């Protein structure tokens, strides 16, 4: 019974905070943000290095995501005095504060990906598509 009460309280608090929470989640819970921050968390990286490590991301998608992450204070962009000029991206302390929840989410995805895929196949095979 206590577990239900705790979940009810958490749910109520989340709904009350939705006006504050949703805009932030919209900025970090997209297709590439977690993966980009995961790449640059251990050490700064150049654009092409990030692109190579994120199989499937387009040049435009990465450029847009990095610009958005910089705007939101999660990434810094440093122009390097090289020839030709290089740019390096690094995670900020604010971005680094997402490390623990992102690691937990990635671990959950790795541990449960097969279950999610099996559920998707079961659903699709029962004709529940609308």
């Amino acid at each position: 019974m206590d577990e239900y009460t705790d979940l009810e309280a958490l749910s109520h608090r989340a709904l009350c905070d939705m006006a504050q929470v949703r805009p932030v989640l919209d900025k970090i819970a997209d297709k590439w943000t977690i993966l980009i921050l995961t790449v640059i968390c251990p050490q700064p990286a150049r654009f092409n290095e990030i692109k190579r490590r994120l199989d499937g991301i387009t040049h435009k998608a990465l450029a847009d995501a990095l610009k958005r992450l910089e705007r939101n204070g999660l990434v810094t962009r440093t122009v390097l005095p090289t020839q030709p000029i290089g740019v390096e991206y690094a995670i900020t302390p604010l971005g680094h504060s997402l490390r623990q929840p992102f690691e937990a989410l990635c671990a959950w995805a790795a541990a449960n990906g097969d279950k999610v895929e099996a559920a998707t196949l079961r659903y699709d095979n029962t004709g529940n598509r609308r």
Side-chain angles (χ1 to χ4, degrees):
M1 189 65 150
D2 286 338
E3 184 178 326
Y4 176 75
T5 305
D6 290 344
L7 289 175
E8 189 174 18
L10 285 171
S11 176
H12 179 72
R13 187 170 48 226
L15 290 173
C16 289
D17 294 341
M18 194 58 63
Q20 232 179 334
V21 171
R22 183 171 180 172
V24 175
L25 290 179
D26 286 345
K27 292 174 182 172
I28 63 168
D30 60 52
K31 184 174 182 177
W32 294 110
T33 295
I34 294 172
L35 297 173
I36 292 169
L37 293 177
T38 300
V39 168
I40 63 173
C41 189
Q43 65 185 26
R46 290 183 177 212
F47 184 93
N48 285 330
E49 181 183 349
I50 299 168
K51 188 171 182 311
R52 272 192 302 278
R53 295 191 58 199
L54 296 177
D55 188 35
I57 193 168
T58 65
H59 184 93
K60 181 177 177 2
L62 180 55
D64 290 349
L66 287 167
K67 189 177 292 186
R68 187 181 64 255
L69 291 170
E70 182 182 8
R71 180 177 182 237
N72 294 327
L74 302 174
V75 165
T76 59
R77 178 183 184 272
T78 303
V79 177
L80 303 172
T82 58
Q83 199 62 1
I85 291 176
V87 176
E88 187 174 73
Y89 296 89
I91 195 165
T92 65
L94 179 61
H96 201 274
S97 70
L98 287 167
R99 181 179 176 188
Q100 187 175 6
F102 281 1
E103 284 177 351
L105 186 57
C106 288
W108 182 91
N112 294 288
D114 56 339
K115 294 173 189 155
V116 172
E117 184 61 28
T120 302
L121 290 171
R122 274 193 311 276
Y123 183 90
D124 290 350
N125 289 332
T126 60
N128 286 321
R129 287 172 266 152
R130 295 184 180 125

